[in-house]
Coordinates of all heavy atoms in Angstrom, one line a residue:
M1022 N 65.5 -17.9 -16.2 CA 64.7 -18.4 -15.1 C 63.2 -17.9 -15.1 O 62.4 -18.1 -14.3 CB 65.3 -18.0 -13.7 CG 66.6 -18.7 -13.5 SD 66.5 -20.3 -12.8 CE 66.9 -19.9 -11.1
G1023 N 63.1 -17.1 -16.2 CA 61.7 -16.5 -16.3 C 60.7 -17.5 -16.6 O 59.5 -17.4 -16.2
K1024 N 61.1 -18.6 -17.3 CA 60.1 -19.6 -17.7 C 59.5 -20.3 -16.5 O 58.3 -20.5 -16.4 CB 60.7 -20.6 -18.7 CG 60.5 -20.1 -20.1 CD 60.8 -21.2 -21.1 CE 60.6 -20.6 -22.5 NZ 61.0 -21.6 -23.5
S1025 N 60.4 -20.7 -15.6 CA 59.9 -21.5 -14.5 C 59.0 -20.6 -13.6 O 58.0 -21.1 -13.0 CB 61.0 -22.0 -13.6 OG 61.7 -21.0 -13.1
R1026 N 59.3 -19.4 -13.6 CA 58.4 -18.5 -12.7 C 57.1 -18.4 -13.4 O 56.0 -18.4 -12.7 CB 59.1 -17.1 -12.6 CG 59.1 -16.7 -11.1 CD 59.8 -15.4 -10.9 NE 58.9 -14.3 -11.3 CZ 59.3 -13.1 -11.5 NH1 60.6 -12.8 -11.2 NH2 58.5 -12.1 -11.8
D1027 N 57.1 -18.3 -14.7 CA 55.8 -18.2 -15.4 C 54.9 -19.5 -15.1 O 53.7 -19.4 -14.9 CB 56.0 -18.1 -16.9 CG 56.4 -16.7 -17.2 OD1 56.3 -15.9 -16.3 OD2 56.8 -16.5 -18.4
A1028 N 55.6 -20.6 -15.0 CA 54.9 -21.9 -14.8 C 54.3 -21.8 -13.4 O 53.2 -22.2 -13.2 CB 55.9 -23.0 -14.9
N1029 N 55.1 -21.3 -12.4 CA 54.5 -21.2 -11.1 C 53.4 -20.3 -11.0 O 52.4 -20.5 -10.4 CB 55.6 -20.7 -10.1 CG 56.5 -21.9 -9.7 OD1 56.2 -23.0 -9.9 ND2 57.7 -21.5 -9.2
D1030 N 53.5 -19.2 -11.8 CA 52.5 -18.2 -11.8 C 51.2 -18.9 -12.4 O 50.1 -18.6 -11.8 CB 52.9 -17.1 -12.7 CG 52.5 -15.7 -12.1 OD1 52.7 -15.6 -10.9 OD2 52.0 -14.9 -12.8
E1031 N 51.4 -19.7 -13.4 CA 50.2 -20.3 -14.0 C 49.5 -21.2 -13.0 O 48.3 -21.2 -12.9 CB 50.7 -21.1 -15.2 CG 49.6 -21.4 -16.2 CD 49.1 -20.1 -16.9 OE1 50.0 -19.3 -17.3 OE2 47.9 -20.0 -17.1
R1032 N 50.3 -21.9 -12.3 CA 49.7 -22.9 -11.4 C 49.0 -22.1 -10.2 O 47.9 -22.5 -9.8 CB 50.8 -23.7 -10.7 CG 50.5 -25.2 -10.8 CD 51.5 -26.0 -10.1 NE 52.7 -26.2 -10.9 CZ 53.9 -26.7 -10.3 NH1 53.9 -27.0 -9.1 NH2 54.9 -26.8 -11.1
Y1033 N 49.6 -21.0 -9.9 CA 49.0 -20.2 -8.8 C 47.7 -19.7 -9.2 O 46.7 -19.7 -8.5 CB 50.0 -19.1 -8.4 CG 49.4 -18.1 -7.4 CD1 49.3 -18.5 -6.1 CD2 48.9 -16.9 -7.8 CE1 48.8 -17.7 -5.1 CE2 48.4 -16.1 -6.9 CZ 48.3 -16.4 -5.5 OH 47.8 -15.6 -4.6
R1034 N 47.7 -19.2 -10.5 CA 46.4 -18.6 -11.0 C 45.3 -19.7 -11.1 O 44.2 -19.5 -10.8 CB 46.7 -18.0 -12.4 CG 46.6 -16.5 -12.3 CD 46.9 -15.9 -13.6 NE 48.3 -15.5 -13.7 CZ 48.8 -15.2 -14.9 NH1 48.1 -15.2 -16.0 NH2 50.1 -14.9 -15.0
E1035 N 45.8 -20.9 -11.5 CA 44.8 -22.0 -11.6 C 44.2 -22.3 -10.2 O 43.0 -22.4 -10.1 CB 45.6 -23.2 -12.1 CG 44.8 -24.5 -12.0 CD 43.8 -24.6 -13.2 OE1 44.1 -24.1 -14.3 OE2 42.8 -25.3 -13.1
R1036 N 45.0 -22.3 -9.2 CA 44.5 -22.6 -7.9 C 43.5 -21.5 -7.4 O 42.5 -21.7 -6.8 CB 45.7 -22.7 -6.9 CG 45.4 -23.7 -5.9 CD 46.5 -23.9 -5.0 NE 46.8 -22.7 -4.2 CZ 47.8 -22.6 -3.3 NH1 48.5 -23.7 -3.1 NH2 48.0 -21.6 -2.7
E1037 N 43.9 -20.2 -7.8 CA 43.1 -19.1 -7.3 C 41.7 -19.2 -8.0 O 40.7 -18.9 -7.4 CB 43.8 -17.8 -7.7 CG 43.3 -16.7 -6.8 CD 44.1 -15.4 -7.1 OE1 44.3 -15.1 -8.3 OE2 44.5 -14.7 -6.2
R1038 N 41.7 -19.6 -9.3 CA 40.5 -19.7 -10.0 C 39.6 -20.8 -9.4 O 38.4 -20.6 -9.2 CB 40.8 -20.1 -11.5 CG 39.7 -19.8 -12.4 CD 40.2 -19.7 -13.8 NE 40.9 -20.9 -14.1 CZ 40.4 -22.1 -14.5 NH1 39.1 -22.2 -14.6 NH2 41.1 -23.1 -14.8
R1039 N 40.2 -21.9 -9.0 CA 39.4 -22.9 -8.4 C 38.8 -22.4 -7.0 O 37.7 -22.7 -6.7 CB 40.3 -24.2 -8.1 CG 40.3 -25.1 -9.3 CD 40.9 -26.4 -9.0 NE 41.8 -26.8 -10.1 CZ 42.8 -27.6 -9.9 NH1 43.1 -28.1 -8.8 NH2 43.5 -28.0 -10.9
D1040 N 39.7 -21.7 -6.3 CA 39.2 -21.2 -5.0 C 38.0 -20.3 -5.2 O 37.1 -20.3 -4.5 CB 40.4 -20.4 -4.4 CG 40.4 -20.5 -2.9 OD1 40.3 -21.7 -2.5 OD2 40.6 -19.5 -2.3
K1041 N 38.0 -19.5 -6.3 CA 36.9 -18.6 -6.5 C 35.7 -19.4 -6.8 O 34.6 -19.1 -6.3 CB 37.3 -17.7 -7.7 CG 37.4 -16.2 -7.2 CD 37.6 -15.3 -8.5 CE 38.5 -14.1 -8.1 NZ 38.9 -13.5 -9.3
D1042 N 35.8 -20.4 -7.7 CA 34.7 -21.2 -8.0 C 34.1 -21.9 -6.8 O 32.9 -22.0 -6.6 CB 35.1 -22.3 -9.0 CG 35.3 -21.8 -10.4 OD1 34.9 -20.6 -10.6 OD2 35.8 -22.5 -11.2
Y1043 N 35.0 -22.3 -5.9 CA 34.5 -22.9 -4.7 C 33.7 -21.9 -3.8 O 32.7 -22.2 -3.3 CB 35.7 -23.5 -3.9 CG 35.3 -24.0 -2.5 CD1 34.6 -25.1 -2.4 CD2 35.7 -23.3 -1.4 CE1 34.2 -25.6 -1.1 CE2 35.4 -23.7 -0.1 CZ 34.6 -24.9 0.0 OH 34.3 -25.3 1.2
R1044 N 34.2 -20.7 -3.8 CA 33.6 -19.7 -2.9 C 32.2 -19.3 -3.5 O 31.4 -18.9 -2.7 CB 34.5 -18.5 -2.8 CG 35.3 -18.5 -1.5 CD 36.2 -17.4 -1.4 NE 37.5 -17.8 -1.2 CZ 38.6 -17.0 -1.1 NH1 38.4 -15.7 -1.0 NH2 39.8 -17.4 -0.9
K1045 N 32.1 -19.4 -4.8 CA 30.9 -19.0 -5.4 C 29.7 -19.9 -5.0 O 28.6 -19.5 -5.0 CB 31.0 -19.1 -6.9 CG 31.0 -17.7 -7.6 CD 30.9 -17.9 -9.1 CE 32.2 -17.6 -9.7 NZ 32.2 -17.9 -11.2
Q1046 N 30.1 -21.2 -4.6 CA 29.0 -22.1 -4.1 C 28.5 -21.8 -2.8 O 27.4 -22.2 -2.4 CB 29.6 -23.5 -4.2 CG 29.9 -24.0 -5.6 CD 30.7 -25.2 -5.5 OE1 30.8 -25.9 -4.5 NE2 31.4 -25.6 -6.6
L1047 N 29.3 -21.0 -2.0 CA 28.8 -20.7 -0.7 C 27.8 -19.6 -0.7 O 27.8 -18.8 -1.6 CB 30.0 -20.2 0.2 CG 31.2 -21.2 0.3 CD1 32.3 -20.6 1.1 CD2 30.7 -22.5 1.1
P1048 N 26.9 -19.7 0.2 CA 25.8 -18.7 0.3 C 26.5 -17.3 0.6 O 27.4 -17.2 1.4 CB 24.9 -19.1 1.4 CG 25.7 -20.1 2.2 CD 26.7 -20.7 1.3
G1049 N 26.0 -16.3 -0.1 CA 26.5 -14.9 0.1 C 26.3 -14.5 1.5 O 25.2 -14.7 2.1
E1050 N 27.3 -13.8 2.1 CA 27.1 -13.4 3.4 C 26.7 -11.9 3.4 O 26.4 -11.3 4.5 CB 28.3 -13.6 4.2 CG 28.5 -15.0 4.7 CD 29.8 -15.3 5.4 OE1 30.2 -14.4 6.1 OE2 30.4 -16.4 5.2
D1051 N 26.9 -11.3 2.3 CA 26.6 -9.8 2.3 C 25.2 -9.5 1.9 O 24.8 -8.4 1.9 CB 27.5 -9.1 1.2 CG 27.5 -9.8 -0.1 OD1 26.9 -10.9 -0.2 OD2 27.9 -9.2 -1.1
E1052 N 24.4 -10.6 1.8 CA 23.0 -10.3 1.5 C 22.1 -10.7 2.7 O 21.9 -11.8 3.0 CB 22.5 -11.2 0.3 CG 22.9 -10.5 -1.1 CD 22.3 -11.3 -2.2 OE1 21.1 -11.6 -2.2 OE2 23.0 -11.6 -3.1
D1053 N 21.6 -9.7 3.3 CA 20.8 -10.0 4.5 C 19.4 -10.2 4.0 O 18.9 -9.5 3.1 CB 20.8 -8.7 5.4 CG 22.1 -8.6 6.2 OD1 22.7 -9.7 6.5 OD2 22.5 -7.5 6.5
P1054 N 18.7 -11.2 4.6 CA 17.3 -11.4 4.3 C 16.5 -10.2 4.8 O 16.8 -9.6 5.8 CB 16.9 -12.6 5.0 CG 17.9 -12.8 6.1 CD 19.2 -12.1 5.6
L1055 N 15.5 -9.8 4.0 CA 14.7 -8.7 4.4 C 14.0 -9.0 5.7 O 13.4 -10.1 5.9 CB 13.6 -8.4 3.3 CG 14.2 -7.7 2.1 CD1 13.0 -7.6 1.0 CD2 14.7 -6.3 2.4
P1056 N 14.0 -8.1 6.6 CA 13.3 -8.3 7.9 C 11.8 -8.2 7.6 O 11.3 -7.6 6.7 CB 13.7 -7.1 8.7 CG 14.1 -6.0 7.8 CD 14.7 -6.7 6.5
P1057 N 11.1 -9.0 8.4 CA 9.6 -9.0 8.3 C 9.1 -7.6 8.5 O 9.6 -6.9 9.4 CB 9.1 -10.0 9.3 CG 10.2 -10.1 10.3 CD 11.5 -9.8 9.6
P1058 N 8.0 -7.2 7.8 CA 7.4 -5.9 8.1 C 6.9 -5.8 9.5 O 6.3 -6.7 10.0 CB 6.3 -5.8 7.1 CG 6.0 -7.2 6.7 CD 7.3 -8.0 6.8
V1059 N 7.3 -4.7 10.1 CA 6.9 -4.5 11.5 C 5.7 -3.6 11.6 O 5.8 -2.4 11.1 CB 8.1 -3.9 12.3 CG1 7.7 -3.8 13.8 CG2 9.3 -4.8 12.2
E1060 N 4.7 -4.1 12.2 CA 3.5 -3.2 12.4 C 3.8 -2.2 13.5 O 4.4 -2.6 14.6 CB 2.3 -4.0 12.8 CG 1.9 -5.0 11.7 CD 0.8 -4.4 10.9 OE1 0.0 -3.6 11.4 OE2 0.6 -4.8 9.7
P1061 N 3.6 -1.0 13.3 CA 3.8 0.0 14.4 C 2.9 -0.4 15.6 O 1.7 -0.6 15.4 CB 3.4 1.3 13.8 CG 2.6 1.0 12.6 CD 3.0 -0.4 12.1
I1062 N 3.5 -0.5 16.7 CA 2.7 -0.8 17.9 C 2.0 0.4 18.4 O 2.6 1.4 18.8 CB 3.7 -1.4 19.0 CG1 4.4 -2.6 18.5 CG2 2.8 -1.7 20.3 CD1 5.5 -3.1 19.4
H1063 N 0.7 0.3 18.4 CA -0.1 1.5 18.8 C -0.6 1.2 20.2 O -1.5 0.4 20.4 CB -1.2 1.6 17.8 CG -2.0 2.9 18.0 ND1 -1.5 4.2 17.8 CD2 -3.3 3.1 18.4 CE1 -2.4 5.1 18.1 NE2 -3.5 4.5 18.5
V1064 N 0.0 1.8 21.1 CA -0.4 1.6 22.5 C -1.2 2.8 22.9 O -0.7 4.0 23.0 CB 0.8 1.5 23.5 CG1 0.3 1.3 24.9 CG2 1.7 0.3 23.0
E1065 N -2.4 2.6 23.2 CA -3.3 3.7 23.6 C -3.6 3.5 25.1 O -4.2 2.5 25.5 CB -4.6 3.7 22.8 CG -5.3 5.1 22.9 CD -6.5 5.1 22.0 OE1 -6.4 4.5 20.9 OE2 -7.4 5.8 22.3
E1066 N -3.1 4.4 25.9 CA -3.4 4.2 27.3 C -4.7 4.7 27.6 O -4.9 6.0 27.6 CB -2.3 4.9 28.1 CG -1.0 4.2 28.0 CD -0.2 4.1 29.3 OE1 -0.8 4.5 30.4 OE2 0.9 3.7 29.3
K1067 N -5.6 3.8 27.8 CA -7.0 4.3 28.1 C -7.3 3.9 29.5 O -7.3 2.7 29.8 CB -8.0 3.5 27.1 CG -9.2 4.3 27.0 CD -10.0 3.7 25.8 CE -11.3 4.5 25.6 NZ -12.2 3.9 24.6
P1068 N -7.5 4.8 30.4 CA -7.8 4.5 31.8 C -9.1 3.9 31.9 O -10.0 4.2 31.1 CB -7.7 5.9 32.5 CG -7.9 6.8 31.4 CD -7.4 6.2 30.1
K1069 N -9.2 3.0 32.8 CA -10.6 2.4 33.0 C -11.4 3.4 33.8 O -10.9 4.3 34.5 CB -10.4 1.1 33.9 CG -9.9 0.0 33.1 CD -9.6 -1.2 34.0 CE -8.8 -2.3 33.2 NZ -8.0 -3.1 34.0
R1070 N -12.7 3.3 33.6 CA -13.6 4.3 34.1 C -13.6 4.4 35.6 O -13.9 5.4 36.1 CB -15.0 4.0 33.5 CG -15.1 4.2 32.0 CD -16.4 3.9 31.5 NE -17.4 4.9 32.0 CZ -17.5 6.2 31.7 NH1 -16.7 6.7 30.8 NH2 -18.4 6.9 32.2
N1071 N -13.3 3.3 36.2 CA -13.3 3.3 37.7 C -11.9 3.6 38.3 O -11.8 3.6 39.5 CB -13.9 2.0 38.2 CG -15.4 2.0 38.1 OD1 -16.1 3.0 38.4 ND2 -16.0 0.9 37.7
D1072 N -10.9 3.8 37.4 CA -9.6 4.0 37.9 C -9.5 5.5 38.3 O -10.2 6.3 37.8 CB -8.6 3.7 36.8 CG -8.2 2.2 36.8 OD1 -8.7 1.5 37.7 OD2 -7.5 1.8 35.9
P1073 N -8.5 5.8 39.2 CA -8.3 7.3 39.5 C -7.9 8.0 38.2 O -7.2 7.5 37.4 CB -7.2 7.3 40.5 CG -6.7 5.9 40.6 CD -7.7 5.0 40.0
C1074 N -8.4 9.2 38.0 CA -8.2 9.9 36.8 C -6.7 10.2 36.7 O -6.0 10.6 37.6 CB -9.0 11.2 36.8 SG -8.9 12.1 35.2
P1075 N -6.2 10.1 35.5 CA -4.7 10.3 35.2 C -4.4 11.8 35.4 O -3.2 12.2 35.4 CB -4.5 9.8 33.8 CG -5.8 9.8 33.2 CD -6.8 9.5 34.3
C1076 N -5.4 12.7 35.4 CA -5.1 14.1 35.5 C -4.6 14.5 36.9 O -4.1 15.5 37.2 CB -6.3 14.9 35.1 SG -7.5 15.1 36.4
G1077 N -4.8 13.5 37.9 CA -4.3 13.8 39.2 C -5.4 14.4 40.1 O -5.0 14.9 41.2
S1078 N -6.6 14.5 39.7 CA -7.6 15.1 40.5 C -8.0 14.2 41.7 O -8.5 14.7 42.7 CB -8.8 15.4 39.7 OG -9.5 14.2 39.3
G1079 N -7.7 12.9 41.6 CA -8.0 12.0 42.7 C -9.4 11.4 42.5 O -9.8 10.5 43.2
K1080 N -10.1 12.0 41.6 CA -11.5 11.4 41.3 C -11.4 10.2 40.4 O -10.4 10.0 39.7 CB -12.4 12.5 40.7 CG -12.6 13.7 41.5 CD -13.5 14.6 40.7 CE -13.5 16.0 41.4 NZ -14.2 17.0 40.5
K1081 N -12.5 9.5 40.4 CA -12.5 8.4 39.4 C -12.6 9.0 38.0 O -13.1 10.1 37.8 CB -13.7 7.5 39.6 CG -13.5 6.6 40.8 CD -14.7 5.7 41.0 CE -14.5 4.8 42.3 NZ -15.7 4.0 42.5
Y1082 N -12.0 8.3 37.1 CA -11.9 8.8 35.7 C -13.3 9.1 35.2 O -13.5 10.1 34.5 CB -11.1 7.8 34.9 CG -11.1 8.2 33.4 CD1 -10.3 9.3 33.0 CD2 -11.7 7.4 32.4 CE1 -10.2 9.7 31.7 CE2 -11.6 7.8 31.1 CZ -10.8 8.9 30.8 OH -10.8 9.3 29.5
K1083 N -14.2 8.2 35.5 CA -15.6 8.4 34.9 C -16.2 9.6 35.5 O -17.2 10.1 34.9 CB -16.4 7.1 35.2 CG -16.7 6.9 36.6 CD -17.7 5.7 36.8 CE -18.0 5.4 38.2 NZ -18.8 4.2 38.4
L1084 N -15.8 10.1 36.7 CA -16.4 11.2 37.3 C -15.6 12.5 37.0 O -16.0 13.6 37.4 CB -16.5 11.1 38.8 CG -17.3 9.9 39.3 CD1 -17.2 9.8 40.8 CD2 -18.8 10.1 38.8
C1085 N -14.5 12.3 36.3 CA -13.6 13.5 36.0 C -13.5 13.7 34.5 O -14.5 14.0 33.8 CB -12.3 13.3 36.6 SG -11.2 14.7 36.5
C1086 N -12.3 13.5 34.0 CA -12.1 13.7 32.5 C -12.8 12.7 31.7 O -12.9 12.9 30.4 CB -10.6 13.7 32.3 SG -9.7 14.8 33.3
G1087 N -13.2 11.6 32.3 CA -13.9 10.5 31.4 C -15.3 10.7 31.2 O -16.0 9.9 30.7
K1088 N -15.8 11.9 31.6 CA -17.3 12.1 31.5 C -17.7 12.3 30.0 O -16.9 12.8 29.3 CB -17.6 13.4 32.2 CG -18.0 13.2 33.6 CD -18.5 14.5 34.2 CE -18.6 14.4 35.8 NZ -18.8 15.7 36.4
Ligands
ZN186 ZN1 -9.4 14.3 35.3

């Protein structure tokens, strides 16, 4: 009965091979597209000259640390 089993094995392998070929056509899922370069966000908190000074003196910035 070994022969018939070999035949089945052959058929099974054939199907597996076709399955692999089919899967090769699909786009790979393990390859992520490179993310776009991200520019570092440079946030500079610059108080306006007429705003209260951030140092907490209560004076306008232009009359305090903004001099
Ligand atoms: Zn100040």
Side-chain angles (χ1 to χ4, degrees):
M1022 293 276 258
K1024 269 195 177 173
S1025 66
R1026 230 178 74 191
D1027 283 352
N1029 279 342
D1030 222 44
E1031 200 70 40
R1032 231 186 281 168
Y1033 175 77
R1034 252 180 263 166
E1035 168 83 27
R1036 215 176 63 178
E1037 204 176 44
R1038 199 161 51 81
R1039 271 190 223 158
D1040 214 45
K1041 246 186 212 166
D1042 283 350
Y1043 171 71
R1044 260 178 238 184
K1045 248 190 258 171
Q1046 295 167 14
L1047 298 176
E1050 283 176 34
D1051 51 346
E1052 275 187 53
D1053 284 331
L1055 285 174
V1059 181
E1060 296 262 333
I1062 302 169
H1063 188 67
V1064 180
E1065 199 174 329
E1066 290 223 7
K1067 204 170 182 183
K1069 285 171 188 157
R1070 295 182 58 74
N1071 282 318
D1072 277 355
C1074 190
C1076 79
S1078 68
K1080 296 178 192 171
K1081 285 183 182 177
Y1082 177 66
K1083 66 175 180 185
L1084 298 175
C1085 185
C1086 305
K1088 268 186 194 172

